[in-house]
């Protein structure tokens, strides 16, 4: 497969995950319905975290969908390196280095958020946020000018050095001081997945069953951790770098590793489209596509509604019915249906496994996360892959999917641009107070999130079109 061909549906899935992550953090707090927040922190608990509340909302799916997309990208990023002749140990080195860079990113952005620098926020905090955002371009972007590699390296070293000096000399709000242990937990988890997920994939390329076989051993460590005399407990509590690594982060491998399977299916499908472009299309395939699209999305919506409202039997029965119909619809030969069927089989298994685990640990929840949450969210991500494949690769709904693809190609910028750029510029321009007027009711509160997220998306699209990509 040509290296310049991208997986549009994977970019769109990643973009959807990152933008909905931004949206969920931008909507007004405390005025929207419960399903607009994490299930454990909504109105059912008076907007205070309560781990005894079960169920999930759409907000609880955005992070696992991003993790899934991260795993699905391994066959393209790591796989391409391997196919081009890179040794496994060179790939391991690159993966560990990427993990450390993401850890730095997690610590760096957490310390330059305006609300961390000053409380209440002021001009100094907004200017520091904008300066910190600008400094990340030489840190994480390949400079598009011709120059010796050692000059590029020196520029990066200088940018990182300035960033470290800045973090060490900022006066923070509420007496806070710089700490390695104060970092963005979402990015820190991604850093751990970049290391351990990559390591597992690197040594199990073309051996997916070994990759899957690792997961029960990780589960065994978690299940045996309560015994203080067990080696499981020792593994759980050991950390040479506690500010960077905790074994508990590895629970998200239950989402990342299934993502690698989906990525291999996607890579094989894209490769077959190039090598055998003359494969005849099946008319039945096109007739069934709208129903496949609607049912995959419908399965996701059903589980969000059924599990949040705790209609467990209804949700289980409805899921089985939808999966059965999808199974029948996908019993056709076609250049696309064969790929979707492979995704469907893996996704259906994980959805049913997640629902079977629902009662374990009290019920499904994101935090503290449960096995039902890992399996179900991974299974629903497989269904989302089918839906995005139809929207991006078949129907080519560019007006809908293209912005998502831009965000998916530049997720680091998309993730930080709201807090560091959009809100900083709005406040410096004197427009920040107008956002507070939108916190009065549910409709305006949601509109607030849409406005802020749209501005962040426009910034991301701008830099993506300018080929300014941040990479670790």
């Amino acid at each position: 497969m040509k290296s310049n061909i991208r997986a549009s549906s994977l970019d769109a899935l990643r973009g959807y995950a990152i933008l909905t992550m931004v949206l969920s953090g931008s909507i007004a707090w405390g005025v929207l319905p419960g399903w607009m927040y994490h299930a454990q922190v909504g109105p059912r608990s008076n907007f205070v975290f309560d781990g005894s509340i079960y169920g999930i909302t759409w907000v609880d799916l955005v992070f696992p969908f991003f993790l899934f997309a991260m795993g699905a990208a391994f066959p393209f990023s790591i796989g391409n390196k391997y196919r081009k002749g890179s040794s496994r140990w060179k790939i391991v080195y690159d993966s560990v280095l990427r993990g450390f860079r993401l850890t730095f990113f997690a610590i760096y952005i957490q310390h330059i958020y305006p609300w961390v620098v000053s409380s209440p926020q002021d001009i100094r905090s907004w200017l520091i946020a904008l300066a910190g955002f600008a400094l990340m371009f030489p840190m994480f972007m390949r400079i598009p000018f011709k120059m010796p590699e050692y000059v590029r390296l020196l520029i990066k070293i200088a940018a990182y050095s300035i960033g470290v000096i800045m973090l060490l000399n900022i006066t923070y709000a509420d007496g806070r001081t710089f700490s390695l242990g104060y970092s963005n937990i979402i990015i820190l988890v991604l850093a751990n997945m970049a290391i351990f997920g990559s390591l597992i994939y690197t040594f199990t390329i073309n051996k997916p069953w070994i990759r899957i076989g690792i997961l029960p051993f990780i589960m065994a460590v978690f299940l045996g951790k309560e015994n203080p005399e067990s080696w499981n407990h020792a593994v759980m509590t050991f950390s040479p770098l506690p500010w960077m690594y905790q074994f508990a982060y590895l629970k998200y491998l239950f989402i990342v590793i299934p993502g690698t399977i989906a990525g291999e299916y996607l890579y094989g499908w894209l490769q077959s489209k190039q090598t055998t472009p003359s494969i005849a299309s099946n008319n039945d395939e096109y007739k069934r596509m709208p129903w496949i699209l609607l049912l995959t999305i419908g399965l996701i919506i059903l589980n969000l509604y059924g599990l949040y409202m705790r209609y467990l039997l209804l949700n289980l029965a409805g899921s089985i019915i939808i999966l059965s119909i999808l199974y029948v619809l996908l019993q056709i030969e076609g250049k696309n249906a064969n790929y979707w069927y492979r995704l469907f089989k893996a996704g259906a298994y994980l959805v049913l496994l997640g629902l079977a685990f629902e009662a374990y640990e009290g019920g499904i929840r994101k935090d503290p996360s449960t096995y039902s949450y890992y399996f179900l969210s991974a299974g629903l991500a497989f269904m989302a892959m089918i839906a995005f494949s139809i929207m991006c690769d078949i129907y080519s709904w560019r007006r809908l999917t293209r912005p998502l693809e831009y965000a998916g190609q530049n997720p680091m910028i998309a993730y930080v641009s709201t807090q560091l750029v959009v809100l900083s510029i709005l406040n410096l321009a004197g427009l920040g107070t107008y956002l507070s007027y939108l916190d009065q009711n549910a409709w305006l509160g949601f509109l607030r999130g849409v406005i802020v997220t749209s501005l962040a998306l426009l910034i991301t699209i701008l830099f993506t079109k300018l080929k300014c990509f941040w990479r670790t």
Side-chain angles (χ1 to χ4, degrees):
M1 186 174 68
K2 294 180 181 178
S3 60
N4 62 343
I5 291 181
R6 295 193 63 92
S8 299
S9 57
L10 181 55
D11 284 336
L13 174 61
R14 188 188 301 112
Y16 166 82
I18 199 70
L19 287 177
T20 49
M21 201 181 299
V22 171
L23 175 64
S24 67
S26 303
I27 56 179
W29 179 251
V31 296
L32 275 69
W35 52 269
M36 290 297 293
Y37 306 100
H38 290 294
Q40 284 75 52
V41 295
R44 294 186 294 185
S45 60
N46 294 318
F47 297 96
V48 177
F49 173 78
D50 185 350
S52 66
I53 294 177
Y54 303 110
I56 56 173
T57 69
W58 66 271
V59 182
D60 297 314
L61 284 185
V62 296
F63 186 47
F65 275 21
F66 190 86
L67 287 168
F68 187 88
M70 181 185 197
F74 287 167
F76 295 85
S77 56
I78 296 174
N80 281 340
K81 290 179 181 179
Y82 181 76
R83 285 183 288 270
K84 290 178 180 178
S86 291
S87 69
R88 281 189 165 93
W89 293 111
K90 175 63 168 61
I91 296 173
V92 167
Y93 170 80
D94 291 341
S95 300
V96 172
L97 185 60
R98 184 190 180 203
F100 273 94
R101 285 174 175 166
L102 275 172
T103 301
F104 176 85
F105 181 65
I107 297 169
Y108 179 80
I109 62 173
Q110 190 70 17
H111 281 80
I112 62 172
Y113 282 144
W115 49 270
V116 174
V117 174
S118 178
S119 180
Q121 298 169 36
D122 54 18
I123 293 177
R124 182 182 72 98
S125 65
W126 299 321
L127 291 177
I128 287 175
L130 288 171
F133 178 79
L135 188 59
M136 283 188 279
F137 282 88
M139 286 181 186
F140 301 116
M141 190 186 84
R142 181 174 176 81
I143 300 172
F145 305 113
K146 291 184 178 180
M147 61 180 66
E149 284 302 315
Y150 77 89
V151 176
R152 294 181 188 276
L153 179 60
L154 289 175
I155 291 174
K156 283 190 176 295
I157 292 174
Y160 276 102
S161 300
I162 294 171
V164 170
I165 292 171
M166 183 172 71
L167 296 186
L168 293 175
N169 287 278
I170 291 175
T171 301
Y172 297 98
D174 303 323
R176 182 183 297 278
T177 58
F178 172 78
S179 171
L180 289 174
Y182 186 58
S183 60
N184 185 290
I185 186 60
I186 290 176
I187 304 300
L188 191 61
V189 169
L190 292 176
N192 279 264
M193 294 302 97
I195 295 176
F196 293 99
S198 297
L199 291 179
I200 292 172
Y201 183 76
T202 299
F203 289 104
T204 59
I205 291 177
N206 302 321
K207 299 174 182 177
W209 289 111
I210 295 178
R211 196 180 317 147
I212 295 171
I214 293 172
L215 293 179
F217 289 93
I218 297 174
M219 179 185 288
V221 175
F222 280 98
L223 294 178
K225 68 180 180 180
E226 300 301 330
N227 184 348
E229 297 180 356
S230 66
W231 65 265
N232 310 62
H233 181 78
V235 169
M236 282 292 300
T237 56
F238 171 75
S239 177
L241 300 171
W243 49 270
M244 177 180 177
Y245 160 78
Q246 299 289 338
F247 190 89
Y249 298 151
L250 301 191
K251 60 190 178 184
Y252 292 106
L253 287 171
F254 287 100
I255 300 171
V256 172
I257 288 181
T260 65
I261 305 299
E264 289 178 334
Y265 293 164
L266 175 59
Y267 181 87
W269 175 65
L270 292 175
Q271 190 176 48
S272 68
K273 287 180 68 176
Q274 281 207 110
T275 56
T276 55
S278 60
I279 294 178
S281 300
N282 190 315
N283 287 332
D284 285 341
E285 186 179 82
Y286 286 101
K287 291 177 182 178
R288 299 182 185 194
M289 261 187 258
W291 298 107
I292 295 171
L293 175 61
L294 288 173
L295 287 172
T296 50
I297 296 175
L299 181 68
I300 297 172
I301 295 173
L302 171 66
N303 276 271
L304 290 176
Y305 175 77
L307 294 172
Y308 180 76
M309 298 300 296
R310 310 307 291 156
Y311 298 146
L312 302 182
L313 286 176
L314 177 63
N315 181 73
L316 176 62
S319 296
I320 292 173
I321 291 171
I322 291 177
L323 290 172
S324 299
I325 297 172
L326 280 170
Y327 175 80
V328 173
L329 289 173
L330 289 168
Q331 295 303 302
I332 51 174
E333 288 295 325
K335 60 182 180 181
N336 306 304
N338 292 337
Y339 161 58
W340 299 334
Y341 183 57
R342 299 182 78 186
L343 291 175
F344 166 78
K345 287 191 295 183
Y349 174 81
L350 287 169
V351 166
L352 294 175
L353 184 62
L355 294 178
F357 267 93
E358 208 283 333
Y360 180 61
E361 301 172 286
I364 190 171
R365 66 186 171 214
K366 177 185 180 295
D367 193 18
S369 51
T370 64
Y371 288 104
S372 176
Y373 176 69
Y374 309 142
F375 298 136
L376 181 71
S377 60
L380 295 179
F382 272 99
M383 300 301 164
M385 283 276 286
I386 297 173
F388 276 109
S389 175
I390 294 174
M391 289 187 286
C392 296
D393 303 317
I394 308 303
Y395 289 149
S396 297
W397 291 345
R398 308 301 284 176
R399 290 185 179 180
L400 172 65
T401 62
R402 191 59 175 164
L404 300 179
E405 291 175 40
Y406 282 131
Q409 292 171 22
N410 229 342
M412 293 173 69
I413 290 180
Y415 184 74
V416 302
S417 57
T418 299
Q419 291 288 340
L420 300 186
V421 182
V422 173
L423 295 179
S424 294
I425 291 177
L426 289 177
N427 281 289
L428 287 170
L431 301 175
T433 54
Y434 293 102
L435 288 178
S436 62
Y437 296 147
L438 302 177
D439 295 344
Q440 307 304 315
N441 61 58
W443 288 105
L444 293 177
F446 181 71
L447 178 61
R448 180 191 192 277
V450 171
I451 292 172
V452 173
T453 303
S454 297
L455 292 173
L457 175 60
L458 289 175
I459 291 171
T460 306
I461 291 174
L462 172 64
F463 287 117
T464 302
K465 286 191 172 184
L466 293 174
K467 307 297 182 184
C468 297
F469 299 102
W470 289 1
R471 298 286 185 263
T472 51

